[in-house]
Structure formats: structure tokens, C-alpha cells
Amino acid sequence: MSPIRLLVLGAVRQHGRAHGYQVRNDLEYWGAHEWSSAKPGSIYHALKQMTKQGLLIAHEIAPSTAGGPPRVEYELNEQGTAEYFRLLRDALSSHEQKSDDLSAGLGFIVDLPRGEAIALLKERVSGLEQWRSAVTGYYTPEAGPEQLGHIGEIMNLWVHSADAGVRWTRGLIERIESGAYTFAGEGDPFVGVLADDEPNPFAPERQPKGVH
């Protein structure tokens, strides 16, 4: 899965209707340009592509007073909403997702009911544990990577990554079970988007030289 589709659909959904610059501004505000493929070109391409695929509705609004083509605002339709939640559930439950996919899912986890979010994360833990067992069927971590020469470091990385993933996911489950955050149906969620005219302090062009 590419996180750009989930990120763009989620950003549009949070606004109800949003133009391309708003989506880009939100994703840069979340730092997604650093940890994912959400660069300006890919954001605008995803908006146009998903409109062609019938996931988004494009609304042309009046051009600016400075002239130029009409601004386009995007809105999720029923098919786009279904795709958004499918991607979100996959991002949270699959142990095979890359860190940027999981990060994208975490950014929208509160769009799900609390119980469902917990169940998806438990599914991720189960997948990680089963995958670790498969790896250790022919690699014994306690014996150290040297047993397989330097190639053993690859196995070592996999096992340590699985263990860290399980610990972190269980910690998140505990926090959610203890009442952390506001999930769907529980009240007003945390607002993580910028107003249309609100400056973004984390936009790449605003950062001092040498900061990436």
C-alpha cells in the first residue's frame, strides 16, 4: 500500500471539501513530507488520479481576483469514503505495512470506534508474533547472528524489529484501553488541520537552512 492515497483521502475528509494547497499544507503540518512520499507533485497527482477513479468529486469554484484558472475543491463521495476506511483498517492491522503506512494510519486512527481500533491493533500484534515464530523456526536469536555469518544480521534485524513492533503496539493498545484520545462517536476529536489562511510553521520553505 502507498500511504499517499490514505493521507490525501484523510486530509480531504477532515475538511469536508479541500483544495490541493490545503491538503498539501496539512500533510506538511503533520511532517508527512519527511516520513512518506507525500511531496507536492505526488499530492496533486493523487487528487487528480482519485478523481478519475471515482473516489473524489472535483468542484470548480470562482477564480481568484488575481486571475488564473478556477480553483478546484475536492470532496469524498461514497466510494471514496469506503476506500478511505479500507486503507485505514489495512494500515493499522497488517504487520507487513511499512512504517510510513502505519504512520498514515495512526494519523486517522480516531476516525474509527475505540473498540475497532483496539481490535485492529491486536490483529497487528498477532501477525507480528506469527511472523517472528516463522523466522525463528530456522534462526535462534539467543545464539546470536554470528551463527549465520554476517547474513545473520539480517535475521537479527527482522527479529528485533518484530519485538519492538509488538512492544510498541501493545503499549498503544493499553493507552487506548485506558481512555486515551477521543474516538468516533465519543465527542469532538482533536483537530489536526490548519485553517485556510493559517500559516504553517512546519512547511519546508519556512524552515531555516540546514533543517530538514
Side-chain angles (χ1 to χ4, degrees):
M1 156 185 153
S2 171
I4 187 67
R5 290 170 68 88
L6 175 56
L7 287 167
V8 169
L9 288 172
V12 172
R13 184 176 181 273
Q14 289 199 14
H15 284 281
R17 278 173 58 161
H19 53 77
Y21 183 76
Q22 282 178 305
V23 174
R24 173 187 171 184
N25 209 34
D26 284 345
L27 298 187
E28 289 176 348
Y29 183 55
W30 304 338
H33 58 292
E34 297 287 359
W35 49 260
S36 78
S37 59
K39 305 299 188 289
S42 60
I43 292 170
Y44 292 110
H45 175 73
L47 286 167
K48 292 178 181 178
Q49 183 185 50
M50 289 191 287
T51 300
K52 291 180 181 178
Q53 293 171 345
L55 304 178
L56 294 170
I57 302 170
H59 303 274
E60 285 193 356
I61 59 177
S64 67
T65 55
R71 173 177 279 180
V72 178
E73 288 188 341
Y74 298 90
E75 178 183 13
L76 269 70
N77 57 19
E78 185 175 345
Q79 186 178 344
T81 300
E83 175 69 359
Y84 165 71
F85 280 105
R86 184 190 72 79
L87 292 171
L88 175 57
R89 291 179 175 111
D90 285 350
L92 294 172
S93 62
S94 176
H95 72 282
E96 297 177 340
Q97 299 291 14
K98 297 179 180 178
S99 61
D100 53 352
D101 299 322
L102 177 59
S103 297
L106 290 173
F108 303 110
I109 190 172
V110 295
D111 285 349
L112 297 169
R114 185 179 298 271
E116 182 178 5
I118 292 170
L120 291 169
L121 291 170
K122 286 183 176 179
E123 187 176 335
R124 180 174 189 269
V125 168
S126 178
L128 284 168
E129 290 177 335
Q130 290 176 20
W131 179 81
R132 187 190 192 281
S133 295
V135 171
T136 54
Y138 49 88
Y139 170 72
T140 306
E142 292 74 15
E146 295 85 356
Q147 63 188 296
L148 297 177
H150 71 281
I151 302 301
E153 294 294 352
I154 300 174
M155 301 290 192
N156 216 30
L157 171 63
W158 291 351
V159 170
H160 280 72
S161 296
D163 290 343
V166 167
R167 286 194 300 271
W168 174 84
T169 307
R170 283 178 172 163
L172 176 56
I173 291 170
E174 290 177 3
R175 290 189 291 277
I176 294 173
E177 288 178 332
S178 297
Y181 317 120
T182 303
F183 284 79
E186 297 179 350
D188 295 330
F190 174 81
V191 178
V193 299
L194 297 167
D196 195 11
D197 57 350
E198 186 178 356
N200 179 4
F202 304 113
E205 60 269 18
R206 293 181 178 272
Q207 295 183 4
K209 292 183 179 180
V211 178
H212 300 287

